Amino acid sequence: MARKKIVAGNWKMNMTPSQAVALCNELKDLVKSDEVDVVYCVPAVDIVPVVEAVKGSNVAVGAENMYFEEKGAYTGEISAAMLVDAGVKYVIIGHSERRDYFKEDDVLLNKKVKKAFEAGLTPILCCGETLEQREMGITLDWIRMQIKSDLVDVTAEQVASMVIAYEPIWAIGTGKTATTEQAQEVCKAIRECVAEVYDAATAEAVRIQYGGSVNAGNAAELFAQPDIDGGLVGGASLKADFGKIVNYK
Ligand code: PGA
């Protein structure tokens, strides 16, 4: 069965609750699609008003982060159960900004992935290399290491249902998109890694996004690649262009 494309916006630390609702209203008609799953991953404080604003539409809401503990004395953190109860379906885990600025490592991210599944959320697990790693020629080794460590003790059935986002760090927010060949090469390698750790059916089912300066001009070519099942979109998810990315064909 063909994989359904999935285009997710990653709003990052943008949009106050009232701005968030205004953006949802602006995008409402532009992001309609039967062919593509559409997700807005929004700041925690925007979740409740955004869930309300997209009610009855084709848009699902995601969080940008969560903590792996069930509940308790973890000041400032948000649990998977809180997200589920608020109407969240997806959660970004291991974005490079969290790995870098907030020192989230693969051991922690593995716990978050497992907790997300336990709670019924679909993780969007991010991976990606630095420019230095690319120039050293270790991109594929690095990505394979991230995927394997973040998915320890995750079942084949779970992996088949999740989303993996390949985001070369040097392409995020820089306007410097990976070439289509570079993006396809790594997304294919991720699928091969899943086939190796799990099996061919799981690799065939898992959806793999490309992220890093995706815009209305490059989405069609990127999403046409055999191993690219959509995109994780930062900057361009905050404007009307996001509708063009969803309806890239
Ligand atoms: P960008 O961000 O589209 O602004 O490059 C992508 C991301 O960080 O998910």
Side-chain angles (χ1 to χ4, degrees):
M1 214 180 83
R3 291 180 296 272
K4 191 174 183 188
K5 297 268 195 256
I6 176 163
V7 174
N10 173 13
W11 290 10
K12 308 195 179 186
M13 197 173 76
N14 295 294
M15 299 288 137
T16 65
S18 51
Q19 290 169 336
V21 171
L23 180 62
C24 291
N25 292 335
E26 183 192 339
L27 293 179
K28 203 160 239 165
D29 292 333
L30 307 176
V31 298
K32 282 192 181 139
S33 170
D34 295 329
E35 289 178 37
V36 175
D37 285 336
V38 182
V39 186
Y40 297 164
C41 297
V42 308
V45 75
D46 294 344
I47 287 171
V48 170
V50 167
V51 165
E52 187 59 33
V54 301
K55 217 169 240 168
S57 79
N58 60 315
V59 176
V61 178
E64 299 178 11
N65 185 28
M66 53 161 260
Y67 198 51
F68 68 86
E69 291 287 1
E70 184 62 31
K71 62 176 179 177
Y74 304 101
T75 303
E77 292 298 321
I78 292 173
S79 73
M82 291 172 188
L83 297 178
V84 169
D85 190 58
V88 166
K89 303 289 182 211
Y90 295 84
V91 57
I92 298 177
I93 292 180
H95 190 279
S96 60
E97 286 148 18
R98 296 221 54 91
R99 292 178 188 258
D100 185 12
Y101 304 144
F102 303 99
K103 304 289 169 254
E104 296 196 0
D105 63 20
D106 292 306
V107 173
L108 173 71
L109 296 173
N110 176 242
K111 290 181 183 160
K112 292 191 178 194
V113 169
K114 286 188 286 192
K115 189 65 189 184
F117 277 123
E118 191 189 308
L121 294 164
T122 299
I124 301 176
L125 173 67
C126 299
C127 59
E129 82 287 2
T130 62
L131 187 57
E132 202 180 7
Q133 288 169 324
R134 177 158 284 273
E135 285 169 352
M136 280 165 67
I138 60 168
T139 297
L140 298 186
D141 294 323
W142 176 255
I143 302 288
R144 288 166 54 83
M145 190 278 293
Q146 288 185 316
I147 297 297
K148 287 186 178 183
S149 344
D150 298 344
L151 296 182
V152 169
D153 292 334
V154 177
T155 68
E157 195 187 334
Q158 289 171 332
V159 173
S161 73
M162 75 183 294
V163 180
I164 297 175
Y166 165 56
E167 299 202 304
I169 295 169
W170 47 272
I172 294 178
T174 56
K176 223 169 119 179
T177 322
T179 64
T180 309
E181 293 72 31
Q182 286 170 329
Q184 163 58 23
E185 183 196 20
V186 180
C187 291
K188 179 167 175 266
I190 292 170
R191 206 175 298 287
E192 285 168 356
C193 179
V194 170
E196 191 184 303
V197 177
Y198 296 91
D199 51 61
T202 306
E204 199 48 39
V206 65
R207 292 192 287 182
I208 304 177
Q209 297 173 317
Y210 167 77
S213 299
V214 173
N215 59 45
N218 59 27
E221 194 181 319
L222 286 162
F223 300 173
Q225 300 308 304
D227 289 295
I228 302 182
D229 305 315
L232 184 57
V233 185
S237 70
L238 300 171
K239 39 189 188 180
D241 264 17
F242 191 64
K244 294 193 187 133
I245 298 173
V246 168
N247 292 292
Y248 63 96
K249 274 189 188 158

